[in-house]
PDB file of all heavy atoms in Angstrom:
ATOM      1  N   GLY A   1     -30.854 -31.566 -12.717  1.00 98.00           N
ATOM      2  CA  GLY A   1     -30.646 -30.348 -13.471  1.00 98.00           C
ATOM      3  C   GLY A   1     -30.193 -29.261 -12.513  1.00 98.00           C
ATOM      4  O   GLY A   1     -30.208 -29.443 -11.293  1.00 98.00           O
ATOM      5  N   LYS A   2     -29.818 -28.091 -13.050  1.00 97.00           N
ATOM      6  CA  LYS A   2     -29.353 -26.997 -12.208  1.00 97.00           C
ATOM      7  C   LYS A   2     -29.904 -25.675 -12.699  1.00 97.00           C
ATOM      8  O   LYS A   2     -30.172 -25.492 -13.892  1.00 97.00           O
ATOM      9  CB  LYS A   2     -27.812 -26.929 -12.188  1.00 97.00           C
ATOM     10  CG  LYS A   2     -27.132 -28.069 -11.442  1.00 97.00           C
ATOM     11  CD  LYS A   2     -25.633 -27.896 -11.450  1.00 97.00           C
ATOM     12  CE  LYS A   2     -24.936 -29.040 -10.724  1.00 97.00           C
ATOM     13  NZ  LYS A   2     -25.132 -28.995  -9.263  1.00 97.00           N
ATOM     14  N   GLY A   3     -30.062 -24.761 -11.749  1.00 96.00           N
ATOM     15  CA  GLY A   3     -30.396 -23.388 -12.069  1.00 96.00           C
ATOM     16  C   GLY A   3     -29.292 -22.480 -11.563  1.00 96.00           C
ATOM     17  O   GLY A   3     -28.966 -22.510 -10.367  1.00 96.00           O
ATOM     18  N   PHE A   4     -28.683 -21.695 -12.453  1.00 95.00           N
ATOM     19  CA  PHE A   4     -27.543 -20.851 -12.110  1.00 95.00           C
ATOM     20  C   PHE A   4     -27.939 -19.383 -12.095  1.00 95.00           C
ATOM     21  O   PHE A   4     -28.666 -18.904 -12.973  1.00 95.00           O
ATOM     22  CB  PHE A   4     -26.419 -21.027 -13.133  1.00 95.00           C
ATOM     23  CG  PHE A   4     -25.818 -22.398 -13.167  1.00 95.00           C
ATOM     24  CD1 PHE A   4     -26.331 -23.364 -14.019  1.00 95.00           C
ATOM     25  CD2 PHE A   4     -24.735 -22.715 -12.366  1.00 95.00           C
ATOM     26  CE1 PHE A   4     -25.777 -24.630 -14.073  1.00 95.00           C
ATOM     27  CE2 PHE A   4     -24.171 -23.990 -12.423  1.00 95.00           C
ATOM     28  CZ  PHE A   4     -24.688 -24.938 -13.274  1.00 95.00           C
ATOM     29  N   ARG A   5     -27.463 -18.679 -11.089  1.00 91.00           N
ATOM     30  CA  ARG A   5     -27.492 -17.225 -11.094  1.00 91.00           C
ATOM     31  C   ARG A   5     -26.084 -16.774 -10.779  1.00 91.00           C
ATOM     32  O   ARG A   5     -25.652 -16.789  -9.632  1.00 91.00           O
ATOM     33  CB  ARG A   5     -28.470 -16.653 -10.078  1.00 91.00           C
ATOM     34  CG  ARG A   5     -28.487 -15.121 -10.099  1.00 91.00           C
ATOM     35  CD  ARG A   5     -29.376 -14.535  -9.018  1.00 91.00           C
ATOM     36  NE  ARG A   5     -30.785 -14.641  -9.382  1.00 91.00           N
ATOM     37  CZ  ARG A   5     -31.768 -14.235  -8.572  1.00 91.00           C
ATOM     38  NH1 ARG A   5     -31.493 -13.746  -7.377  1.00 91.00           N
ATOM     39  NH2 ARG A   5     -33.025 -14.343  -8.978  1.00 91.00           N
ATOM     40  N   GLY A   6     -25.356 -16.366 -11.824  1.00 89.00           N
ATOM     41  CA  GLY A   6     -23.953 -16.031 -11.637  1.00 89.00           C
ATOM     42  C   GLY A   6     -23.177 -17.251 -11.180  1.00 89.00           C
ATOM     43  O   GLY A   6     -23.266 -18.321 -11.777  1.00 89.00           O
ATOM     44  N   GLU A   7     -22.442 -17.100 -10.095  1.00 87.00           N
ATOM     45  CA  GLU A   7     -21.638 -18.206  -9.578  1.00 87.00           C
ATOM     46  C   GLU A   7     -22.416 -19.135  -8.664  1.00 87.00           C
ATOM     47  O   GLU A   7     -21.893 -20.165  -8.226  1.00 87.00           O
ATOM     48  CB  GLU A   7     -20.430 -17.647  -8.812  1.00 87.00           C
ATOM     49  CG  GLU A   7     -20.813 -16.797  -7.610  1.00 87.00           C
ATOM     50  CD  GLU A   7     -19.615 -16.147  -6.949  1.00 87.00           C
ATOM     51  OE1 GLU A   7     -18.796 -16.884  -6.356  1.00 87.00           O
ATOM     52  OE2 GLU A   7     -19.508 -14.904  -7.024  1.00 87.00           O
ATOM     53  N   TRP A   8     -23.663 -18.798  -8.366  1.00 89.00           N
ATOM     54  CA  TRP A   8     -24.455 -19.582  -7.419  1.00 89.00           C
ATOM     55  C   TRP A   8     -25.473 -20.445  -8.162  1.00 89.00           C
ATOM     56  O   TRP A   8     -25.884 -20.119  -9.281  1.00 89.00           O
ATOM     57  CB  TRP A   8     -25.155 -18.650  -6.435  1.00 89.00           C
ATOM     58  CG  TRP A   8     -24.165 -17.782  -5.706  1.00 89.00           C
ATOM     59  CD1 TRP A   8     -23.124 -18.197  -4.929  1.00 89.00           C
ATOM     60  CD2 TRP A   8     -24.086 -16.361  -5.733  1.00 89.00           C
ATOM     61  NE1 TRP A   8     -22.415 -17.124  -4.447  1.00 89.00           N
ATOM     62  CE2 TRP A   8     -22.985 -15.979  -4.930  1.00 89.00           C
ATOM     63  CE3 TRP A   8     -24.864 -15.354  -6.346  1.00 89.00           C
ATOM     64  CZ2 TRP A   8     -22.619 -14.647  -4.724  1.00 89.00           C
ATOM     65  CZ3 TRP A   8     -24.502 -14.033  -6.150  1.00 89.00           C
ATOM     66  CH2 TRP A   8     -23.392 -13.695  -5.346  1.00 89.00           C
ATOM     67  N   PHE A   9     -25.908 -21.508  -7.527  1.00 93.00           N
ATOM     68  CA  PHE A   9     -26.816 -22.419  -8.215  1.00 93.00           C
ATOM     69  C   PHE A   9     -27.686 -23.170  -7.224  1.00 93.00           C
ATOM     70  O   PHE A   9     -27.384 -23.271  -6.037  1.00 93.00           O
ATOM     71  CB  PHE A   9     -26.023 -23.407  -9.077  1.00 93.00           C
ATOM     72  CG  PHE A   9     -25.090 -24.306  -8.322  1.00 93.00           C
ATOM     73  CD1 PHE A   9     -25.511 -25.547  -7.865  1.00 93.00           C
ATOM     74  CD2 PHE A   9     -23.778 -23.907  -8.066  1.00 93.00           C
ATOM     75  CE1 PHE A   9     -24.653 -26.386  -7.175  1.00 93.00           C
ATOM     76  CE2 PHE A   9     -22.912 -24.737  -7.360  1.00 93.00           C
ATOM     77  CZ  PHE A   9     -23.358 -25.974  -6.912  1.00 93.00           C
ATOM     78  N   VAL A  10     -28.779 -23.715  -7.759  1.00 95.00           N
ATOM     79  CA  VAL A  10     -29.643 -24.639  -7.029  1.00 95.00           C
ATOM     80  C   VAL A  10     -29.710 -25.924  -7.844  1.00 95.00           C
ATOM     81  O   VAL A  10     -29.628 -25.907  -9.073  1.00 95.00           O
ATOM     82  CB  VAL A  10     -31.060 -24.062  -6.820  1.00 95.00           C
ATOM     83  CG1 VAL A  10     -30.997 -22.806  -5.967  1.00 95.00           C
ATOM     84  CG2 VAL A  10     -31.755 -23.774  -8.144  1.00 95.00           C
ATOM     85  N   ASP A  11     -29.816 -27.038  -7.136  1.00 96.00           N
ATOM     86  CA  ASP A  11     -29.936 -28.338  -7.788  1.00 96.00           C
ATOM     87  C   ASP A  11     -31.402 -28.728  -7.876  1.00 96.00           C
ATOM     88  O   ASP A  11     -32.153 -28.581  -6.907  1.00 96.00           O
ATOM     89  CB  ASP A  11     -29.176 -29.407  -7.001  1.00 96.00           C
ATOM     90  CG  ASP A  11     -27.677 -29.292  -7.154  1.00 96.00           C
ATOM     91  OD1 ASP A  11     -27.225 -28.720  -8.166  1.00 96.00           O
ATOM     92  OD2 ASP A  11     -26.958 -29.763  -6.256  1.00 96.00           O
ATOM     93  N   LEU A  12     -31.796 -29.228  -9.018  1.00 98.00           N
ATOM     94  CA  LEU A  12     -33.136 -29.764  -9.229  1.00 98.00           C
ATOM     95  C   LEU A  12     -33.000 -31.263  -9.439  1.00 98.00           C
ATOM     96  O   LEU A  12     -32.531 -31.719 -10.490  1.00 98.00           O
ATOM     97  CB  LEU A  12     -33.793 -29.102 -10.441  1.00 98.00           C
ATOM     98  CG  LEU A  12     -33.920 -27.578 -10.387  1.00 98.00           C
ATOM     99  CD1 LEU A  12     -34.449 -27.037 -11.699  1.00 98.00           C
ATOM    100  CD2 LEU A  12     -34.821 -27.165  -9.237  1.00 98.00           C
ATOM    101  N   ILE A  13     -33.386 -32.050  -8.442  1.00 98.00           N
ATOM    102  CA  ILE A  13     -33.100 -33.475  -8.396  1.00 98.00           C
ATOM    103  C   ILE A  13     -34.399 -34.267  -8.499  1.00 98.00           C
ATOM    104  O   ILE A  13     -35.345 -34.008  -7.762  1.00 98.00           O
ATOM    105  CB  ILE A  13     -32.362 -33.820  -7.084  1.00 98.00           C
ATOM    106  CG1 ILE A  13     -31.027 -33.061  -7.026  1.00 98.00           C
ATOM    107  CG2 ILE A  13     -32.139 -35.325  -6.963  1.00 98.00           C
ATOM    108  CD1 ILE A  13     -30.339 -33.114  -5.675  1.00 98.00           C
ATOM    109  N   PHE A  14     -34.451 -35.228  -9.409  1.00 98.00           N
ATOM    110  CA  PHE A  14     -35.662 -36.020  -9.577  1.00 98.00           C
ATOM    111  C   PHE A  14     -35.404 -37.520  -9.419  1.00 98.00           C
ATOM    112  O   PHE A  14     -36.300 -38.339  -9.604  1.00 98.00           O
ATOM    113  CB  PHE A  14     -36.328 -35.749 -10.929  1.00 98.00           C
ATOM    114  CG  PHE A  14     -35.400 -35.812 -12.119  1.00 98.00           C
ATOM    115  CD1 PHE A  14     -35.234 -36.990 -12.824  1.00 98.00           C
ATOM    116  CD2 PHE A  14     -34.700 -34.689 -12.535  1.00 98.00           C
ATOM    117  CE1 PHE A  14     -34.383 -37.057 -13.915  1.00 98.00           C
ATOM    118  CE2 PHE A  14     -33.854 -34.734 -13.635  1.00 98.00           C
ATOM    119  CZ  PHE A  14     -33.695 -35.917 -14.331  1.00 98.00           C
ATOM    120  N   SER A  15     -34.191 -37.890  -9.050  1.00 97.00           N
ATOM    121  CA  SER A  15     -33.862 -39.291  -8.796  1.00 97.00           C
ATOM    122  C   SER A  15     -32.521 -39.335  -8.094  1.00 97.00           C
ATOM    123  O   SER A  15     -31.796 -38.337  -8.053  1.00 97.00           O
ATOM    124  CB  SER A  15     -33.795 -40.076 -10.106  1.00 97.00           C
ATOM    125  OG  SER A  15     -33.368 -41.416  -9.875  1.00 97.00           O
ATOM    126  N   SER A  16     -32.187 -40.484  -7.528  1.00 96.00           N
ATOM    127  CA  SER A  16     -30.811 -40.672  -7.076  1.00 96.00           C
ATOM    128  C   SER A  16     -29.926 -40.885  -8.295  1.00 96.00           C
ATOM    129  O   SER A  16     -30.404 -41.241  -9.378  1.00 96.00           O
ATOM    130  CB  SER A  16     -30.731 -41.880  -6.131  1.00 96.00           C
ATOM    131  OG  SER A  16     -31.243 -43.039  -6.747  1.00 96.00           O
ATOM    132  N   GLY A  17     -28.638 -40.684  -8.117  1.00 94.00           N
ATOM    133  CA  GLY A  17     -27.721 -40.800  -9.242  1.00 94.00           C
ATOM    134  C   GLY A  17     -27.696 -42.169  -9.878  1.00 94.00           C
ATOM    135  O   GLY A  17     -27.393 -42.300 -11.061  1.00 94.00           O
ATOM    136  N   ASN A  18     -28.046 -43.213  -9.111  1.00 95.00           N
ATOM    137  CA  ASN A  18     -28.046 -44.574  -9.674  1.00 95.00           C
ATOM    138  C   ASN A  18     -29.395 -44.958 -10.265  1.00 95.00           C
ATOM    139  O   ASN A  18     -29.583 -46.092 -10.695  1.00 95.00           O
ATOM    140  CB  ASN A  18     -27.628 -45.595  -8.608  1.00 95.00           C
ATOM    141  CG  ASN A  18     -28.600 -45.663  -7.437  1.00 95.00           C
ATOM    142  OD1 ASN A  18     -29.626 -44.996  -7.419  1.00 95.00           O
ATOM    143  ND2 ASN A  18     -28.260 -46.461  -6.445  1.00 95.00           N
ATOM    144  N   GLY A  19     -30.347 -44.036 -10.277  1.00 94.00           N
ATOM    145  CA  GLY A  19     -31.642 -44.288 -10.895  1.00 94.00           C
ATOM    146  C   GLY A  19     -32.626 -45.056 -10.031  1.00 94.00           C
ATOM    147  O   GLY A  19     -33.726 -45.377 -10.490  1.00 94.00           O
ATOM    148  N   VAL A  20     -32.285 -45.330  -8.770  1.00 96.00           N
ATOM    149  CA  VAL A  20     -33.131 -46.150  -7.916  1.00 96.00           C
ATOM    150  C   VAL A  20     -34.185 -45.308  -7.182  1.00 96.00           C
ATOM    151  O   VAL A  20     -35.382 -45.585  -7.253  1.00 96.00           O
ATOM    152  CB  VAL A  20     -32.282 -46.945  -6.900  1.00 96.00           C
ATOM    153  CG1 VAL A  20     -33.169 -47.609  -5.859  1.00 96.00           C
ATOM    154  CG2 VAL A  20     -31.434 -47.987  -7.626  1.00 96.00           C
ATOM    155  N   ALA A  21     -33.735 -44.300  -6.456  1.00 97.00           N
ATOM    156  CA  ALA A  21     -34.630 -43.516  -5.589  1.00 97.00           C
ATOM    157  C   ALA A  21     -35.312 -42.403  -6.373  1.00 97.00           C
ATOM    158  O   ALA A  21     -35.050 -41.212  -6.191  1.00 97.00           O
ATOM    159  CB  ALA A  21     -33.868 -42.949  -4.393  1.00 97.00           C
ATOM    160  N   VAL A  22     -36.228 -42.783  -7.248  1.00 97.00           N
ATOM    161  CA  VAL A  22     -36.943 -41.835  -8.101  1.00 97.00           C
ATOM    162  C   VAL A  22     -37.952 -41.056  -7.255  1.00 97.00           C
ATOM    163  O   VAL A  22     -38.643 -41.626  -6.403  1.00 97.00           O
ATOM    164  CB  VAL A  22     -37.665 -42.584  -9.233  1.00 97.00           C
ATOM    165  CG1 VAL A  22     -38.500 -41.624 -10.068  1.00 97.00           C
ATOM    166  CG2 VAL A  22     -36.645 -43.305 -10.111  1.00 97.00           C
ATOM    167  N   VAL A  23     -38.027 -39.770  -7.484  1.00 98.00           N
ATOM    168  CA  VAL A  23     -39.004 -38.941  -6.769  1.00 98.00           C
ATOM    169  C   VAL A  23     -40.385 -39.228  -7.356  1.00 98.00           C
ATOM    170  O   VAL A  23     -40.641 -38.966  -8.528  1.00 98.00           O
ATOM    171  CB  VAL A  23     -38.663 -37.437  -6.890  1.00 98.00           C
ATOM    172  CG1 VAL A  23     -39.716 -36.613  -6.158  1.00 98.00           C
ATOM    173  CG2 VAL A  23     -37.275 -37.165  -6.326  1.00 98.00           C
ATOM    174  N   ASP A  24     -41.266 -39.772  -6.524  1.00 98.00           N
ATOM    175  CA  ASP A  24     -42.616 -40.094  -6.963  1.00 98.00           C
ATOM    176  C   ASP A  24     -43.626 -39.408  -6.055  1.00 98.00           C
ATOM    177  O   ASP A  24     -43.275 -38.570  -5.216  1.00 98.00           O
ATOM    178  CB  ASP A  24     -42.824 -41.613  -6.989  1.00 98.00           C
ATOM    179  CG  ASP A  24     -42.570 -42.270  -5.629  1.00 98.00           C
ATOM    180  OD1 ASP A  24     -42.573 -41.561  -4.596  1.00 98.00           O
ATOM    181  OD2 ASP A  24     -42.361 -43.496  -5.594  1.00 98.00           O
ATOM    182  N   ASP A  25     -44.906 -39.757  -6.201  1.00 98.00           N
ATOM    183  CA  ASP A  25     -45.955 -39.080  -5.447  1.00 98.00           C
ATOM    184  C   ASP A  25     -45.815 -39.263  -3.944  1.00 98.00           C
ATOM    185  O   ASP A  25     -46.204 -38.378  -3.174  1.00 98.00           O
ATOM    186  CB  ASP A  25     -47.329 -39.581  -5.898  1.00 98.00           C
ATOM    187  CG  ASP A  25     -47.674 -39.168  -7.312  1.00 98.00           C
ATOM    188  OD1 ASP A  25     -46.950 -38.312  -7.872  1.00 98.00           O
ATOM    189  OD2 ASP A  25     -48.653 -39.702  -7.877  1.00 98.00           O
ATOM    190  N   LEU A  26     -45.278 -40.405  -3.511  1.00 98.00           N
ATOM    191  CA  LEU A  26     -45.174 -40.654  -2.078  1.00 98.00           C
ATOM    192  C   LEU A  26     -44.243 -39.674  -1.389  1.00 98.00           C
ATOM    193  O   LEU A  26     -44.412 -39.382  -0.194  1.00 98.00           O
ATOM    194  CB  LEU A  26     -44.711 -42.083  -1.816  1.00 98.00           C
ATOM    195  CG  LEU A  26     -45.735 -43.189  -2.064  1.00 98.00           C
ATOM    196  CD1 LEU A  26     -45.151 -44.539  -1.674  1.00 98.00           C
ATOM    197  CD2 LEU A  26     -47.009 -42.929  -1.298  1.00 98.00           C
ATOM    198  N   TRP A  27     -43.244 -39.167  -2.095  1.00 98.00           N
ATOM    199  CA  TRP A  27     -42.397 -38.139  -1.501  1.00 98.00           C
ATOM    200  C   TRP A  27     -43.258 -36.960  -1.046  1.00 98.00           C
ATOM    201  O   TRP A  27     -43.025 -36.381   0.028  1.00 98.00           O
ATOM    202  CB  TRP A  27     -41.364 -37.641  -2.503  1.00 98.00           C
ATOM    203  CG  TRP A  27     -40.236 -38.572  -2.831  1.00 98.00           C
ATOM    204  CD1 TRP A  27     -40.319 -39.740  -3.526  1.00 98.00           C
ATOM    205  CD2 TRP A  27     -38.861 -38.395  -2.512  1.00 98.00           C
ATOM    206  NE1 TRP A  27     -39.074 -40.294  -3.661  1.00 98.00           N
ATOM    207  CE2 TRP A  27     -38.157 -39.494  -3.058  1.00 98.00           C
ATOM    208  CE3 TRP A  27     -38.142 -37.399  -1.848  1.00 98.00           C
ATOM    209  CZ2 TRP A  27     -36.773 -39.626  -2.936  1.00 98.00           C
ATOM    210  CZ3 TRP A  27     -36.761 -37.531  -1.726  1.00 98.00           C
ATOM    211  CH2 TRP A  27     -36.093 -38.632  -2.252  1.00 98.00           C
ATOM    212  N   PHE A  28     -44.235 -36.620  -1.844  1.00 98.00           N
ATOM    213  CA  PHE A  28     -45.077 -35.455  -1.536  1.00 98.00           C
ATOM    214  C   PHE A  28     -46.161 -35.801  -0.523  1.00 98.00           C
ATOM    215  O   PHE A  28     -46.499 -34.972   0.337  1.00 98.00           O
ATOM    216  CB  PHE A  28     -45.690 -34.907  -2.824  1.00 98.00           C
ATOM    217  CG  PHE A  28     -44.674 -34.237  -3.716  1.00 98.00           C
ATOM    218  CD1 PHE A  28     -43.892 -34.980  -4.597  1.00 98.00           C
ATOM    219  CD2 PHE A  28     -44.485 -32.867  -3.656  1.00 98.00           C
ATOM    220  CE1 PHE A  28     -42.943 -34.365  -5.396  1.00 98.00           C
ATOM    221  CE2 PHE A  28     -43.531 -32.244  -4.451  1.00 98.00           C
ATOM    222  CZ  PHE A  28     -42.759 -32.993  -5.322  1.00 98.00           C
ATOM    223  N   GLU A  29     -46.695 -37.003  -0.598  1.00 98.00           N
ATOM    224  CA  GLU A  29     -47.732 -37.412   0.350  1.00 98.00           C
ATOM    225  C   GLU A  29     -47.212 -37.413   1.782  1.00 98.00           C
ATOM    226  O   GLU A  29     -47.965 -37.149   2.729  1.00 98.00           O
ATOM    227  CB  GLU A  29     -48.255 -38.805  -0.013  1.00 98.00           C
ATOM    228  CG  GLU A  29     -49.074 -38.837  -1.293  1.00 98.00           C
ATOM    229  CD  GLU A  29     -49.505 -40.255  -1.639  1.00 98.00           C
ATOM    230  OE1 GLU A  29     -49.541 -41.103  -0.716  1.00 98.00           O
ATOM    231  OE2 GLU A  29     -49.790 -40.507  -2.822  1.00 98.00           O
ATOM    232  N   HIS A  30     -45.924 -37.691   1.953  1.00 98.00           N
ATOM    233  CA  HIS A  30     -45.360 -37.803   3.294  1.00 98.00           C
ATOM    234  C   HIS A  30     -44.393 -36.669   3.624  1.00 98.00           C
ATOM    235  O   HIS A  30     -43.678 -36.740   4.634  1.00 98.00           O
ATOM    236  CB  HIS A  30     -44.654 -39.148   3.434  1.00 98.00           C
ATOM    237  CG  HIS A  30     -45.581 -40.312   3.280  1.00 98.00           C
ATOM    238  ND1 HIS A  30     -46.403 -40.741   4.298  1.00 98.00           N
ATOM    239  CD2 HIS A  30     -45.858 -41.094   2.211  1.00 98.00           C
ATOM    240  CE1 HIS A  30     -47.121 -41.765   3.873  1.00 98.00           C
ATOM    241  NE2 HIS A  30     -46.811 -41.997   2.609  1.00 98.00           N
ATOM    242  N   ALA A  31     -44.391 -35.629   2.816  1.00 98.00           N
ATOM    243  CA  ALA A  31     -43.533 -34.471   3.087  1.00 98.00           C
ATOM    244  C   ALA A  31     -43.990 -33.770   4.367  1.00 98.00           C
ATOM    245  O   ALA A  31     -45.151 -33.892   4.789  1.00 98.00           O
ATOM    246  CB  ALA A  31     -43.575 -33.504   1.915  1.00 98.00           C
ATOM    247  N   ARG A  32     -43.086 -33.023   4.963  1.00 97.00           N
ATOM    248  CA  ARG A  32     -43.372 -32.332   6.220  1.00 97.00           C
ATOM    249  C   ARG A  32     -43.180 -30.828   6.032  1.00 97.00           C
ATOM    250  O   ARG A  32     -42.250 -30.398   5.338  1.00 97.00           O
ATOM    251  CB  ARG A  32     -42.465 -32.859   7.330  1.00 97.00           C
ATOM    252  CG  ARG A  32     -42.698 -34.334   7.576  1.00 97.00           C
ATOM    253  CD  ARG A  32     -41.723 -34.925   8.591  1.00 97.00           C
ATOM    254  NE  ARG A  32     -41.992 -36.354   8.745  1.00 97.00           N
ATOM    255  CZ  ARG A  32     -42.896 -36.857   9.598  1.00 97.00           C
ATOM    256  NH1 ARG A  32     -43.576 -36.039  10.371  1.00 97.00           N
ATOM    257  NH2 ARG A  32     -43.093 -38.159   9.671  1.00 97.00           N
ATOM    258  N   PRO A  33     -44.042 -30.023   6.646  1.00 97.00           N
ATOM    259  CA  PRO A  33     -43.924 -28.573   6.469  1.00 97.00           C
ATOM    260  C   PRO A  33     -42.691 -28.022   7.164  1.00 97.00           C
ATOM    261  O   PRO A  33     -42.251 -28.524   8.198  1.00 97.00           O
ATOM    262  CB  PRO A  33     -45.205 -28.041   7.113  1.00 97.00           C
ATOM    263  CG  PRO A  33     -45.599 -29.081   8.109  1.00 97.00           C
ATOM    264  CD  PRO A  33     -45.182 -30.389   7.503  1.00 97.00           C
ATOM    265  N   GLY A  34     -42.112 -27.002   6.577  1.00 95.00           N
ATOM    266  CA  GLY A  34     -40.960 -26.326   7.170  1.00 95.00           C
ATOM    267  C   GLY A  34     -40.880 -24.903   6.654  1.00 95.00           C
ATOM    268  O   GLY A  34     -41.706 -24.469   5.834  1.00 95.00           O
ATOM    269  N   ARG A  35     -39.895 -24.196   7.146  1.00 94.00           N
ATOM    270  CA  ARG A  35     -39.687 -22.818   6.693  1.00 94.00           C
ATOM    271  C   ARG A  35     -38.198 -22.640   6.451  1.00 94.00           C
ATOM    272  O   ARG A  35     -37.390 -22.796   7.367  1.00 94.00           O
ATOM    273  CB  ARG A  35     -40.200 -21.815   7.713  1.00 94.00           C
ATOM    274  CG  ARG A  35     -40.228 -20.384   7.197  1.00 94.00           C
ATOM    275  CD  ARG A  35     -41.021 -19.466   8.131  1.00 94.00           C
ATOM    276  NE  ARG A  35     -41.004 -18.092   7.687  1.00 94.00           N
ATOM    277  CZ  ARG A  35     -41.810 -17.580   6.776  1.00 94.00           C
ATOM    278  NH1 ARG A  35     -42.719 -18.360   6.201  1.00 94.00           N
ATOM    279  NH2 ARG A  35     -41.734 -16.312   6.416  1.00 94.00           N
ATOM    280  N   VAL A  36     -37.837 -22.327   5.227  1.00 91.00           N
ATOM    281  CA  VAL A  36     -36.442 -22.194   4.827  1.00 91.00           C
ATOM    282  C   VAL A  36     -36.237 -20.825   4.209  1.00 91.00           C
ATOM    283  O   VAL A  36     -36.927 -20.450   3.257  1.00 91.00           O
ATOM    284  CB  VAL A  36     -36.050 -23.312   3.821  1.00 91.00           C
ATOM    285  CG1 VAL A  36     -34.636 -23.094   3.303  1.00 91.00           C
ATOM    286  CG2 VAL A  36     -36.173 -24.675   4.472  1.00 91.00           C
ATOM    287  N   MET A  37     -35.326 -20.052   4.775  1.00 87.00           N
ATOM    288  CA  MET A  37     -35.005 -18.706   4.276  1.00 87.00           C
ATOM    289  C   MET A  37     -36.265 -17.859   4.116  1.00 87.00           C
ATOM    290  O   MET A  37     -36.436 -17.145   3.125  1.00 87.00           O
ATOM    291  CB  MET A  37     -34.219 -18.804   2.964  1.00 87.00           C
ATOM    292  CG  MET A  37     -32.808 -19.328   3.173  1.00 87.00           C
ATOM    293  SD  MET A  37     -31.872 -19.546   1.647  1.00 87.00           S
ATOM    294  CE  MET A  37     -32.710 -20.962   0.957  1.00 87.00           C
ATOM    295  N   GLY A  38     -37.157 -17.959   5.100  1.00 89.00           N
ATOM    296  CA  GLY A  38     -38.355 -17.144   5.105  1.00 89.00           C
ATOM    297  C   GLY A  38     -39.459 -17.618   4.205  1.00 89.00           C
ATOM    298  O   GLY A  38     -40.481 -16.928   4.071  1.00 89.00           O
ATOM    299  N   VAL A  39     -39.308 -18.769   3.598  1.00 92.00           N
ATOM    300  CA  VAL A  39     -40.310 -19.301   2.666  1.00 92.00           C
ATOM    301  C   VAL A  39     -40.911 -20.568   3.271  1.00 92.00           C
ATOM    302  O   VAL A  39     -40.178 -21.457   3.720  1.00 92.00           O
ATOM    303  CB  VAL A  39     -39.693 -19.611   1.300  1.00 92.00           C
ATOM    304  CG1 VAL A  39     -40.765 -20.111   0.334  1.00 92.00           C
ATOM    305  CG2 VAL A  39     -38.987 -18.382   0.729  1.00 92.00           C
ATOM    306  N   ASP A  40     -42.229 -20.651   3.290  1.00 95.00           N
ATOM    307  CA  ASP A  40     -42.891 -21.880   3.734  1.00 95.00           C
ATOM    308  C   ASP A  40     -42.717 -22.949   2.659  1.00 95.00           C
ATOM    309  O   ASP A  40     -43.085 -22.731   1.494  1.00 95.00           O
ATOM    310  CB  ASP A  40     -44.383 -21.625   3.977  1.00 95.00           C
ATOM    311  CG  ASP A  40     -44.623 -20.748   5.205  1.00 95.00           C
ATOM    312  OD1 ASP A  40     -43.838 -20.843   6.163  1.00 95.00           O
ATOM    313  OD2 ASP A  40     -45.578 -19.947   5.177  1.00 95.00           O
ATOM    314  N   VAL A  41     -42.163 -24.089   3.055  1.00 96.00           N
ATOM    315  CA  VAL A  41     -41.824 -25.140   2.091  1.00 96.00           C
ATOM    316  C   VAL A  41     -42.286 -26.486   2.616  1.00 96.00           C
ATOM    317  O   VAL A  41     -42.733 -26.616   3.763  1.00 96.00           O
ATOM    318  CB  VAL A  41     -40.293 -25.177   1.845  1.00 96.00           C
ATOM    319  CG1 VAL A  41     -39.791 -23.858   1.297  1.00 96.00           C
ATOM    320  CG2 VAL A  41     -39.547 -25.553   3.132  1.00 96.00           C
ATOM    321  N   LEU A  42     -42.151 -27.484   1.770  1.00 98.00           N
ATOM    322  CA  LEU A  42     -42.306 -28.874   2.174  1.00 98.00           C
ATOM    323  C   LEU A  42     -40.922 -29.507   2.196  1.00 98.00           C
ATOM    324  O   LEU A  42     -40.139 -29.343   1.256  1.00 98.00           O
ATOM    325  CB  LEU A  42     -43.213 -29.629   1.206  1.00 98.00           C
ATOM    326  CG  LEU A  42     -44.696 -29.268   1.235  1.00 98.00           C
ATOM    327  CD1 LEU A  42     -45.439 -30.020   0.123  1.00 98.00           C
ATOM    328  CD2 LEU A  42     -45.317 -29.597   2.594  1.00 98.00           C
TER     329      LEU A  42
END
């Protein structure tokens, strides 16, 4: 899915395009901390 603000957008992705690499709990269990644009993220 996508979120648009004017001409700009963010992608909201919950699987690979072929349906194989589905985002599940393990993505979150093994996520790593980072900081992007001043925001603490995983």
Side-chain angles (χ1 to χ4, degrees):
K2 290 181 181 289
F4 296 91
R5 180 185 283 178
E7 61 185 292
W8 303 302
F9 62 91
V10 297
D11 286 336
L12 302 174
I13 299 169
F14 49 92
S15 175
S16 56
N18 63 3
V20 170
V22 175
V23 179
D24 58 18
D25 292 348
L26 287 183
W27 287 69
F28 289 84
E29 290 177 22
H30 298 280
R32 298 175 182 273
R35 190 168 177 83
V36 175
M37 290 177 289
V39 182
D40 290 327
V41 300
L42 289 175

